[in-house]
Amino acid sequence: MTHVLIAGGGIAGLTAALALHTAGFERVTVVEATREIQPVGAGLNIMPNAVRELDALGVLDRLEARALRTRELRYYHRSGGLISREPRGLGAGYHWPQLSIHRGELQLALADAVRARLGPSALVSGVRVTGVEALPDGRPRVQLEHRDGVVRGSASLEPDVLIGADGIRSTVRASLNPGEGEPPWNGLLIWRGVSRMPASRAAGFMFIAGDDRQKAVVYPLTEPVDGQVLVNWALVRPAEPGDDPTRGDWNRPVPVTTFLHHYEGWEFGGVSVPEVLLAADAAFEYPMVDRDPLPSWSCGRTTLIGDAAHAMYPVGSNGATQSIIDGRALAHAMARHVDPAEALTVYETERRGPMTDLQGSNRQLGPEVAISLAHQRAPGGFTDIHDVIPAAELAEIAARYAAAGAFDKKTVNEGSPYGPPARRRPR
């Protein structure tokens, strides 16, 4: 019986485990470095192509109980002018919704499903991969380290297949690409957080606003409960001279007052960005980094998925989305090919090229380039956006990016390519 070891219990690793189980693999072990999976982090959007795959895995109903269907996306000029508005998910004619959800809620739901289907021992916390060595037959020899505040012990394991889902600073990736170094920084800082607000002061839509220097992304994560909603926000702005990018961390807390003054007067669609920020329990800062594309993701029976394979700038809601697709694509390839090395080659052949293109598109701002174009062509604002950016050009920007991420309506509604057709969602 093939034993698959997955390094990393994030969205990519947990989805891969569920997809492999659905495809008939019973011996799947996920090792997660943190001692306990907790609902930490901020919000994210899952595009309909990934929601389709979660539906096929039988977890969508549970996720929807913790999420909000994203109904509309708006882009605003810094002056307050509306650049574009478009329906999303079911309202745009997709057979599956687009979901806004707290990252921690998504991770917990996937982890619970892994434990329920593969058994409690399938998800091992407090264990990280510290090294990988390729054996002559292509199998990996994996060095593991158990941590509980201090190092408690180490072990060596030789699974049939190793999947590196251990994030942007992946040990598995480093073993395949020694000397790659730290993720490159583009000079921008990101601040993220979640705020609890009166529903009357929060928008019922997602908006992205700003100029070619700084932006704000704001959207609700929940339906109103007792008149309150959770609102996710993310801000992007160039670092000040002398800022050290190495201080950035996915979990580095900073006071909201550190950056609040940069967003004074920002109000869009009746939502005050400063008001949203002041309602936050906490804020986190880190540098905007990604990874340069690799010429290969796989070696023998070891491969990469998610951020370990193709970490990209947080543009266009494609980080978690593409990680979910990776997990399904990999499981599908492994189910169809007896030779694990051949299966990994098939998986990489399908996914690496499109993800390389998408990484490049995100470095060029993806669909958010419309905001920069509007500011460059009309820095003081406008009366009619179509005097600045023709409607056909706006539509082409959105369509090009949707095609790059394979979440255009035609492709999504054709159904999953990774198994029996999934259930269509009711309108």
Side-chain angles (χ1 to χ4, degrees):
M1 187 180 294
T2 302
H3 180 208
V4 182
L5 179 66
I6 301 175
I11 294 167
L14 295 171
T15 302
L18 291 175
L20 286 164
H21 179 264
T22 300
F25 292 85
E26 298 293 337
R27 289 192 65 202
V28 180
T29 305
V30 181
V31 293
E32 166 56 35
T34 60
R35 286 185 288 170
E36 183 179 358
I37 294 178
Q38 297 179 335
V40 298
L44 50 81
N45 255 249
I46 311 173
M47 302 302 286
N49 54 335
V51 174
R52 176 193 65 193
E53 302 308 325
L54 294 171
D55 192 17
L57 292 175
V59 297
L60 182 53
D61 288 341
R62 181 169 184 178
L63 289 177
E64 285 214 86
R66 307 180 182 200
L68 178 71
R69 290 181 175 181
T70 309
R71 300 180 177 92
E72 183 181 46
L73 171 64
R74 299 184 186 182
Y75 289 101
Y76 285 98
H77 188 279
R78 179 172 178 161
S79 67
L82 181 65
I83 297 172
S84 67
R85 60 188 298 176
E86 56 186 74
R88 308 295 282 188
L90 299 178
Y94 287 87
H95 294 160
W96 290 270
Q98 178 175 329
L99 295 181
S100 299
I101 188 170
H102 193 286
R103 184 189 184 281
E105 294 288 356
L106 173 58
Q107 188 178 12
L108 281 175
L110 294 174
D112 288 346
V114 167
R115 293 189 182 103
R117 298 180 191 181
L118 284 89
S121 62
L123 178 53
V124 184
S125 59
V127 175
R128 73 173 67 237
V129 171
T130 58
V132 182
E133 173 190 356
L135 298 174
D137 63 358
R139 288 183 304 120
R141 176 179 289 139
V142 184
Q143 301 301 319
L144 303 172
E145 190 173 79
H146 174 72
R147 291 178 179 266
D148 188 5
V150 295
V151 175
R152 290 287 186 86
S154 60
S156 177
L157 193 63
E158 296 179 6
D160 297 295
V161 175
L162 172 64
I163 300 172
D166 46 345
I168 193 169
R169 291 178 172 85
S170 165
T171 297
V172 180
R173 177 179 175 124
S175 74
L176 300 178
N177 302 273
E180 183 180 26
E182 286 291 300
W185 180 46
N186 68 357
L188 300 177
L189 290 177
I190 307 174
W191 296 283
R192 278 184 174 165
V194 176
S195 300
R196 187 176 298 276
M197 301 183 62
S200 61
R201 301 300 301 157
F205 52 84
M206 176 180 184
F207 72 78
I208 305 174
D211 54 31
D212 58 357
R213 179 175 173 81
Q214 66 183 70
K215 295 184 178 69
V217 182
V218 180
Y219 55 90
L221 291 172
T222 61
E223 296 284 2
V225 177
D226 296 328
Q228 300 282 305
V229 296
L230 286 182
V231 176
N232 184 73
W233 50 268
L235 312 174
V236 178
R237 178 181 166 83
E240 299 292 342
D243 273 339
D244 179 7
T246 61
R247 70 187 176 128
D249 190 301
W250 298 118
N251 296 298
R252 181 178 186 272
V254 296
V256 168
T257 53
T258 302
F259 50 85
L260 179 65
H261 60 286
H262 294 304
Y263 296 88
E264 291 179 0
W266 282 44
E267 183 171 324
F268 308 96
V271 177
S272 165
V273 173
E275 184 178 346
V276 172
L277 301 182
L278 289 171
D281 291 334
F284 299 88
E285 175 191 271
Y286 47 91
M288 185 184 286
V289 295
D290 66 356
R291 279 293 191 187
D292 291 328
L294 291 173
S296 174
W297 291 353
S298 307
C299 178
R301 297 187 180 191
T302 298
T303 196
L304 305 171
I305 64 173
D307 281 352
H310 49 70
M312 59 187 75
Y313 293 157
V315 172
S317 303
N318 263 293
T321 291
Q322 298 302 333
S323 294
I324 291 166
I325 302 295
D326 283 351
R328 284 281 282 166
L330 176 56
H332 186 249
M334 289 185 62
R336 294 175 59 223
H337 298 273
V338 175
D339 180 4
E342 181 183 355
L344 301 190
T345 298
V346 170
Y347 152 73
E348 180 180 332
T349 298
E350 175 192 345
R351 295 293 294 161
R352 186 169 57 82
M355 291 303 96
T356 295
D357 292 343
L358 196 60
Q359 285 178 291
S361 179
N362 279 18
R363 285 183 171 182
Q364 300 301 317
L365 302 182
E368 295 175 21
V369 72
I371 294 175
S372 295
L373 287 175
H375 177 76
Q376 291 164 6
R377 297 177 186 178
F382 49 82
T383 302
D384 185 342
I385 183 58
H386 297 138
D387 294 335
V388 180
I389 308 177
E393 185 177 2
L394 283 172
E396 197 277 331
I397 290 170
R400 182 173 63 241
Y401 191 72
F407 59 86
D408 58 286
K409 184 167 60 177
K410 179 178 183 297
T411 298
V412 173
N413 287 352
E414 286 175 350
S416 175
Y418 305 122
R423 296 176 286 121
R424 291 187 177 185
R425 305 302 300 164
R427 293 181 180 275

